[in-house]
Amino acid sequence: MPTFTMPHVITVPVLGAPSCGGVTLLTVNLSDFAHESDAGLADAYERNLAACIRARRDGFVLCLRPTADRPAVIDMGQHMAADALSGAEAHRVLVVDPYSADGDDLRDAPVSAAVGVAA
């Protein structure tokens, strides 16, 4: 898996809701971005990719939760998210609305404090 250097950190704990700067983020089901036309796509990967593209286009952030031996990945590209969803990493994938209740973009918030990762 490629390593990414991000200009911000959204803490994505293994257990509990994702947060950034102490503000809980809204997670969204990727199926919310499915269209009827997706039924004609070749396979699950193509359907996941189409939904990930729509989610990113609509301003959502694609994330992987951390595990005991792997860090969180924040604001993944849609191909990386579709790859994860199609493989063993699917349980780590989150689609996050990065805006607070006040409309602030949480990606501009101060870097979140690190959280422990459940083993």
Side-chain angles (χ1 to χ4, degrees), residues 56-74:
R56 289 286 306 268
R57 180 198 62 211
D58 290 352
F60 289 83
V61 174
L62 305 174
C63 305
L64 284 181
R65 291 177 183 269
T67 62
D69 59 347
R70 302 184 87 175
V73 178
I74 308 303

Side-chain angles (χ1 to χ4, degrees), residues 76-99:
M76 302 159 53
Q78 57 262 19
H79 285 87
M80 186 176 177
D83 287 344
L85 283 163
S86 298
E89 302 296 323
H91 64 286
R92 296 179 62 204
V93 177
L94 294 173
V95 182
V96 174
D97 181 349
Y99 295 96

Side-chain angles (χ1 to χ4, degrees), residues 17-119:
S19 63
C20 176
V23 178
T24 301
L25 304 180
L26 171 68
T27 57
V28 179
N29 191 324
L30 189 63
S31 65
D32 294 343
F33 300 96
H35 285 182
E36 291 177 8
S37 61
D38 293 347
L41 295 174
D43 55 27
Y45 176 83
E46 293 294 328
R47 290 187 290 277
N48 287 338
L49 180 58
C52 288
I53 289 170
R54 291 184 195 108
R56 289 286 306 268
R57 180 198 62 211
D58 290 352
F60 289 83
V61 174
L62 305 174
C63 305
L64 284 181
R65 291 177 183 269
T67 62
D69 59 347
R70 302 184 87 175
V73 178
I74 308 303
D75 211 3
M76 302 159 53
Q78 57 262 19
H79 285 87
M80 186 176 177
D83 287 344
L85 283 163
S86 298
E89 302 296 323
H91 64 286
R92 296 179 62 204
V93 177
L94 294 173
V95 182
V96 174
D97 181 349
Y99 295 96
S100 72
D102 298 326
D104 297 323
D105 188 332
L106 297 172
R107 293 168 292 189
D108 296 332
V111 172
S112 299
V115 294
V117 176

